[in-house]
Amino acid sequence: MDSISSKITFEYNFVVDNGIISNKDKRDVPTILAVEATLTIKINNELYFETELAILEFYKALYEWKNRVTDEHIPEFHYYTIEYDDYEDGAILSLIPFSNKARVKSIWAEQDLYNVFDLDYIVREFIQLEQNLKRDIENYFEIELKKFIKHIPLMKGPYSDDY
C-alpha cells in the first residue's frame, strides 16, 4: 500500500461575522476564542475530519509548530483546545512524523482512513495551511495577527513536545 500516495486537502469556512473582532480586541481572550471556522480535511477526496473550532487558537498552534520546523527536525504537531478537556485518546488533530513519512490523526476523525504521507509533502501542506489561514484571517477580519499572536491562548496537551 506504500505505493499509493495519500493526498490531503484543507478547507475552512468562517462561521462568524467579520465584525466580531478588530485589532483593538488583541488582548480580549473571550473574543479571540469566539472567532470560529469550520475546518474540513479530506484525505484522497474522502472526508476525514470536519468540525467548528476556535480558528485563531488553531492558527497559533500551526504557527508555533511551523516556527519549530527545521531541515534537521520535524516536530510532531498537536492541536488541543482550551474548550475541550478530555484528551485520553490524543489530540483533536496531530501530525506524527516517522522516518520519511507521517500520519495525520484525530480523536474526532469522521472515519479511519489510510493516511501515510510523504513527510516533505505533508509538512509543505501544513505550512501552506498556516500561510493561507494567516492571509484569509487577516483579510476577512481586517486584523493583523502579529498583534494578537502572544495573546491567543494555546493549550499544550499531554503529548506536546519541543515547546
Side-chain angles (χ1 to χ4, degrees):
M1 209 159 186
D2 272 350
S3 64
I4 298 173
S5 293
S6 292
K7 297 292 179 209
I8 194 164
T9 56
F10 299 100
E11 298 170 12
Y12 48 88
N13 192 25
F14 301 117
V15 295
V16 293
D17 183 83
N18 65 348
I20 192 174
I21 196 166
S22 69
N23 282 326
K24 67 177 176 47
D25 298 312
K26 68 181 181 250
R27 292 189 170 136
D28 186 343
V29 173
T31 299
I32 288 169
L33 293 176
V35 178
E36 293 192 334
T38 300
L39 176 67
T40 304
I41 300 173
K42 291 182 180 175
I43 296 175
N44 299 326
N45 293 319
E46 288 193 57
L47 181 63
Y48 175 68
F49 175 92
E50 185 170 61
T51 194
E52 269 185 29
L53 45 79
I55 199 68
L56 297 180
E57 181 187 48
F58 178 70
Y59 169 77
K60 182 170 182 177
L62 276 173
Y63 173 84
E64 297 282 332
W65 170 81
K66 178 196 77 169
N67 288 339
R68 294 179 8 241
V69 171
T70 66
D71 289 340
E72 296 80 35
H73 178 65
I74 308 296
E76 292 184 359
F77 168 77
H78 299 286
Y79 169 63
Y80 304 90
T81 179
I82 64 173
E83 297 174 335
Y84 177 78
D85 62 2
D86 181 11
Y87 292 110
E88 234 173 74
D89 297 326
I92 292 172
L93 188 64
S94 295
L95 173 66
I96 315 291
F98 60 94
S99 183
N100 64 344
K101 305 280 186 208
R103 284 185 53 93
V104 173
K105 292 178 61 175
S106 174
I107 59 172
W108 294 347
E110 298 286 333
Q111 59 181 321
D112 188 24
L113 296 175
Y114 174 79
N115 69 33
V116 174
F117 297 94
D118 174 73
L119 185 59
D120 291 338
Y121 165 78
I122 197 68
V123 168
R124 273 193 319 272
E125 292 298 310
F126 268 70
I127 288 172
Q128 188 64 55
L129 173 61
E130 185 271 339
Q131 292 168 348
N132 292 347
L133 271 172
K134 179 181 190 303
R135 178 197 65 220
D136 294 343
I137 288 168
E138 288 185 338
N139 288 339
Y140 183 76
F141 296 104
E142 298 180 4
I143 62 173
E144 294 175 63
L145 279 170
K146 69 181 180 199
K147 293 180 177 180
F148 284 80
I149 203 74
K150 70 181 179 184
H151 304 291
I152 300 170
L154 184 62
M155 171 81 174
K156 293 178 178 40
Y159 305 101
S160 296
D161 67 346
D162 291 11
Y163 281 101

